[in-house]
């Protein structure tokens, strides 16, 4: 009988081992590129957002985590090919330099927020000292191999048309051979890339440069105004035609987000300044054209104005020179370019809408789907939302989507945006490109 | 008292991976597991302490000790992704021990210890749901002194006081990272206050062939007070939000279960049994932790659960090959208490189907061994988890549960 028991036990044990080696399987998602798409050569066309610019700089980590790099990684599951980015080397990993969060100043007064200490990173840069700087800044180490990520910080639709721009913008200059600088425009460079699939997210700088400068165009910079609609339409049409080659090549077009949806314009508010000063009666004065006005609802103070606010200047008064804090007194108001007032906000948002309408028309004419970033930023980021147990918002630093410059995305934000690109691709092309786990990308590390 | 008992039993014995609905663990007897875990409407020997104290009056004096070894596997896939995450669950070993002693012919006393609830699930700290859960270990041991009285030849009643001991350990990642890229972590760890409930039953031998049983196990609330909250890797800039020395309190209901059992014995060799249980899961409304110091600016953490009452249907049979050898088989369907929108990684529950086989062998009049093997397959379930603060996606669980028990009668 004992023998029998052993036999049964051995059998049970064997069955147990057999069963336990089986893992549960999920009949889930089958990655597929659909019938129409070919990801063999994906090319990303765009500006700083496409390049992976963040924390007020372009550096290797941001490049590695750019939304096109994330997209290319996901496209690899459905036949995507190699994706070359103009990466800064490890030795020059800090690229242009960038801002790092190194601490917080405690709140000046009860109820105020602690203010972040942002320290520039100035080591291991890719800045060239062997040549003269360009009007747009010092030149950067070149990368003239063929690249898939053609994101150029500063690039606008307007500047994409002029060959001169290669001699102005160091980010564009670094992608060109010396012979091409000043001779080849961005559209030509885009055309040479011969993609089989593209994303195009350009046009932000046709309004943003103007907006971030308080709606004051720089007379020395022809690309600092609002690009006129007619000109925008003409160049944008040429750009899309170059990419689609008359309907041969598919892609996704992203439009221009509302500038007021980013923390750059939403962080320094009258309420925050009053709390910080511990004075609920404090007013902020600014120059609105020829007159001086008090900041009211709808007037936006850019993040870049924060450090100037309250700066003690020696001001000539009827009673002689006196120290007066900048912005807190009618005799020392904020400058016109330090505030985007309510009328200027309207001017910028209206013009954004005009340009987005053109983008929609050109996209429709070329049968290319549009990722409505404007709507997405306004609706998704307008109020805090939860993703995989993490709360996100468009708040500065704590919101985790926007980097330390208040405009560009963190790697986490880039992954969230990449997933939205994938949504648009899957929906419009009947594809099943797998989404990325955004939690694998960093948000804002704290000191 | 509590800590002594826990230490005595050893920590490995305490882990029960929830493989029944919710965090219930229905593995109370090897003989009964073999029969699809039926047992309320029949004489189950010493394990009547658990299945139906009303039937204990007819049990022979004796002791039983047994354990199951749960290998549970859970796979997860986030929505519209192609990567599968597998939970790395440790082997769970729920156990039971029963002893029955006659006081008079009609009155019997018994004591049992068993693990009717528990859950251990370990997802790790890299998956996309880590801010919801890294790992959870929930342990509960019930000790139940019981009396049973044979009112008439046909009718027995019994009741026991359940004394519940438990502990919980829950670990999550925090959505803050330091400059090295390390994410913060929170660990909640605490022992529950000793809690009390009861287990009562009636057993009715209607005819020679037909018997009925009704059993009610009451709800027990396990409450943790002054549990420890430990934070690690919290960046200095966020330290005010996650202060050392924080303590938590929480309560978790172990829901009441009402079971009706019927047994039919067409021949001397064959026993068939049917159990229908109603588990009052609606007692579990929310998972709430109250903190002594604000955590991330909040004095508590509350996530809705809103479980619903469910039914379990069980069917089992035993065939006695001869006086010594018995073969068993059974099946059950355990409906999930988790409603749509409320799925969580701590209990990624779905309707579960169980299939079991068992074998019993009596070496002598006094000594016998029972072995069982249970296979549990939960339906693949996709949920948005938008109402529970859970992790959206698709979950699929299976479990293999061999077990062995020894019984000695005197």
């Amino acid at each position: 009988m004992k023998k029998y028991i052993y036999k049964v036990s051995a059998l049970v044990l064997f069955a147990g081992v057999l069963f336990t080696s089986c893992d549960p399987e999920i009949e889930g998602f089958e990655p597929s590129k659909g019938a129409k798409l070919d990801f063999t050569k994906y090319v990303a066309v765009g500006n700083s957002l496409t390049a992976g610019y963040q924390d007020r700089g372009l550096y290797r980590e941001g490049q590695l985590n750019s939304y096109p790099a994330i997209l290319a990684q996901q496209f690899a599951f459905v036949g995507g090919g190699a994706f070359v980015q103009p990466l800064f080397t490890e030795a020059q990993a800090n690229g242009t330099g960038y801002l790092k969060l190194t601490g917080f100043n405690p709140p000046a007064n009860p109820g105020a927020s602690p203010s972040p200490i942002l320290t520039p990173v100035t080591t291991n840069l890719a800045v060239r000292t062997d040549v003269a700087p360009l009007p747009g800044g010092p030149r950067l180490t070149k990368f003239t191999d063929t690249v898939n990520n053609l994101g150029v910080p500063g690039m606008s639709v307007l500047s994409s048309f002029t060959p001169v721009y290669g001699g102005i913008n160091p980010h564009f200059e670094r992608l060109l051979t010396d012979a091409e600088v000043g001779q080849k425009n961005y559209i030509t460079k885009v055309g040479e890339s011969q993609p089989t699939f593209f994303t195009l997210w350009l046009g932000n700088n046709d309004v943003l440069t103007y907006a971030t400068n308080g709606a004051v165009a720089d007379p020395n910079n022809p690309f600092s105004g609002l690009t006129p609609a007619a000109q925008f339409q003409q160049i944008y049409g040429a750009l899309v035609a170059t990419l689609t080659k008359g309907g041969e090549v598919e892609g996704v077009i992203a439009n221009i987000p509302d500038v007021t949806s980013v923390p750059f314009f939403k962080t320094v508010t009258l309420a925050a300044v009053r709390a910080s000063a511990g004075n609920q009666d404090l007013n902020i004065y600014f120059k609105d054209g020829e007159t001086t006005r008090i900041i009211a609802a709808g007037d936006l103070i850019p993040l870049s104005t924060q450090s100037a606010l309250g700066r003690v200047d020696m001001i000539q008064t009827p009673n002689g020179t006196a120290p007066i804090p900048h912005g807190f007194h009618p005799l020392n108001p904020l400058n016109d370019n330090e505030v985007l007032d309510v009328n200027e906000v309207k001017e910028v948002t209206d013009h954004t809408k005009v340009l987005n309408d053109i983008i929609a028309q050109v996209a429709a004419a070329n049968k290319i789907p549009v990722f409505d970033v404007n709507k997405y930023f306004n609706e998704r980021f307008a109020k805090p939302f939860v993703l995989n147990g993490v709360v996100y918002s468009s708040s500065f630093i704590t919101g985790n989507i926007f980097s330390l410059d208040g405009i560009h995305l963190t790697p986490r934000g880039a992954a969230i945006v990449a997933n939205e690109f994938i949504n648009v691709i899957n929906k419009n092309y009947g594809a099943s490109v797998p989404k990325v786990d955004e939690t694998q990308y960093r948000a804002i590390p704290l000191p | 008292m509590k800590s002594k008992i826990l230490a005595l039993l050893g920590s490995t014995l305490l882990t029960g991976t929830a493989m029944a609905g919710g965090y219930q663990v229905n593995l109370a007897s090897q003989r009964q597991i073999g029969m699809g875990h039926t047992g309320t409407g029949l004489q189950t020997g010493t394990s009547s302490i658990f299945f139906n104290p009303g039937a204990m009056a007819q049990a022979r004096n004796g002791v039983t000790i047994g354990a199951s070894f749960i290998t549970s596997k859970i796979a997860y896939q986030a929505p519209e992704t192609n990567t599968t995450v597998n939970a790395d669950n440790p082997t769970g070993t729920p156990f039971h021990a029963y002893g029955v002693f006659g006081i008079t012919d009609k009155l019997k006393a018994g004591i049992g210890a068993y693990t009717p609830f528990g859950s251990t699930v370990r997802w790790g700290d890299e998956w996309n749901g880590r801010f919801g859960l890294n790992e959870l270990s929930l342990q509960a041991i019930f000790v139940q002194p019981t009396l049973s009285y044979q009112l008439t030849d046909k009718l027995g009643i019994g009741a026991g006081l359940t004394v519940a001991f438990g502990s919980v350990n829950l670990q999550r990642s925090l959505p803050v990272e330091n400059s090295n890229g390390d994410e913060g972590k929170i660990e909640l760890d605490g022992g529950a206050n000793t809690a009390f409930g009861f287990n009562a039953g009636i057993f009715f031998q209607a005819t020679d062939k037909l018997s009925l049983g009704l059993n009610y196990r009451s709800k027990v609330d396990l409450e943790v007070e002054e549990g420890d909250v430990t934070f690690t890797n919290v960046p200095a800039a966020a330290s005010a939000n996650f202060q050392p020395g924080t303590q938590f309190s929480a309560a978790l209901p172990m829901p009441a279960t009402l079971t009706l059992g019927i047994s039919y014995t067409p021949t001397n060799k064959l026993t068939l049994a049917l159990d229908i249980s109603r588990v009052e899961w609606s007692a579990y409304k929310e998972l709430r932790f109250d903190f002594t110091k604000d955590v991330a600016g909040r004095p508590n953490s509350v996530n809705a659960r809103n479980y619903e009452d469910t039914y379990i249907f069980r069917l089992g049979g035993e065939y006695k090959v001869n006086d010594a050898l018995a073969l068993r088989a059974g099946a059950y369907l355990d409906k999930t208490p988790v409603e749509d929108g409320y799925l969580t990684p701590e209990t990624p529950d779905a309707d579960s189907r169980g299939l079991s086989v068992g074998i019993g062998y009596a070496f002598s009049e006094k000594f016998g061994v029972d072995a069982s093997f249970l296979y549990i397959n939960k339906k693949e379930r996709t949920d948005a988890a938008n109402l529970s603060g859970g992790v959206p996606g698709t979950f699929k669980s299976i479990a293999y549960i061999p077990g062995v028990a020894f019984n000695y009668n005197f």
Side-chain angles (χ1 to χ4, degrees), chain A residues 1 20 435 439-440 446, chain B residues 73 80 126 130 177 361:
Chain A
M1 214 39 176
T20 50
K435 297 265 185 78
T439 67
Q440 302 303 327
L446 298 177
Chain B
K73 300 186 173 220
E80 296 175 75
E126 285 171 14
R130 63 191 178 277
E177 54 196 303
Y361 190 76

Side-chain angles (χ1 to χ4, degrees), chain B residues 162-404:
Chain B
T162 47
V163 186
F165 309 98
S167 67
V168 66
N169 180 289
L170 184 147
Q171 296 172 37
R172 287 176 179 163
S173 294
L174 293 169
V176 290
E177 54 196 303
N178 64 23
S179 40
N180 297 328
D182 302 318
E183 284 169 342
K185 285 203 181 146
I186 181 172
E187 177 174 355
L188 307 173
D189 187 85
N193 296 338
T194 305
F196 300 93
F198 69 90
N199 181 358
I202 302 174
F203 182 76
F204 182 61
Q205 188 72 47
T207 69
D208 281 354
K209 292 185 172 179
L210 184 72
S211 57
L212 301 166
L214 191 66
N215 172 250
Y216 184 75
R217 297 195 297 275
S218 74
K219 184 178 85 155
V220 176
D221 280 316
L222 281 184
E223 288 178 21
V224 176
E225 287 174 326
E226 297 178 353
D228 293 322
V229 182
T230 312
F231 299 108
T232 43
N233 281 344
V234 171
S239 57
N241 268 336
F242 308 101
Q243 295 178 45
T246 304
Q247 291 189 309
F248 78 96
S249 57
L252 194 66
M254 310 284 125
T257 304
L258 177 69
T259 305
L260 173 70
I262 302 169
S263 168
Y264 185 64
T265 313
T267 73
N268 281 342
K269 287 180 179 271
L270 184 66
T271 304
L272 298 172
L274 171 77
D275 272 22
I276 298 171
S277 298
R278 177 183 165 84
V279 188
E280 291 169 10
W281 277 115
S282 58
Y284 190 26
K285 303 264 186 248
E286 62 182 27
L287 179 62
R288 178 188 177 109
F289 297 101
D290 286 291
F291 302 112
T292 53
K293 299 176 187 176
D294 281 8
V295 173
R298 295 184 52 82
N300 54 41
S301 150
V302 184
N303 286 123
R305 291 295 179 263
N306 292 324
Y307 276 25
E308 58 184 356
D309 293 343
T310 57
Y311 287 90
I312 310 175
F313 306 93
R314 304 174 182 282
L315 203 59
E318 179 182 64
Y319 183 75
K320 286 202 170 113
V321 179
N322 52 44
D323 281 351
L325 181 68
L327 299 177
R328 302 168 190 131
Y332 68 78
L333 174 65
D334 189 353
K335 305 288 279 182
T336 179
V338 181
E339 295 186 77
D340 287 346
Y342 288 96
L343 205 61
T344 65
E346 73 238 23
T347 27
D349 204 34
D351 290 348
S352 64
R353 288 99 22 133
L355 279 176
S356 67
V357 290
I359 181 169
Y361 190 76
F363 288 90
S364 70
E365 268 288 291
K366 291 188 167 178
F367 179 61
V369 176
D370 291 297
S372 61
F373 186 85
L374 171 63
Y375 169 69
I376 297 176
N377 187 314
K378 293 195 181 190
K379 276 189 184 162
E380 182 177 306
R381 184 165 184 188
T382 301
D383 197 80
N386 51 332
L387 302 172
S388 57
V391 179
T394 304
F395 291 86
K396 170 78 184 174
S397 313
I398 52 174
Y400 309 94
I401 310 172
V404 64

Side-chain angles (χ1 to χ4, degrees), chain A residues 291-314:
Chain A
T291 59
T292 293
R293 260 205 317 121
I294 294 175
I295 287 272
D299 298 323
L300 303 178
I301 307 169
L303 203 52
S304 51
T305 300
Q306 190 175 30
S307 58
L309 200 59
R311 179 191 64 219
V312 178
D313 299 323
M314 294 307 292

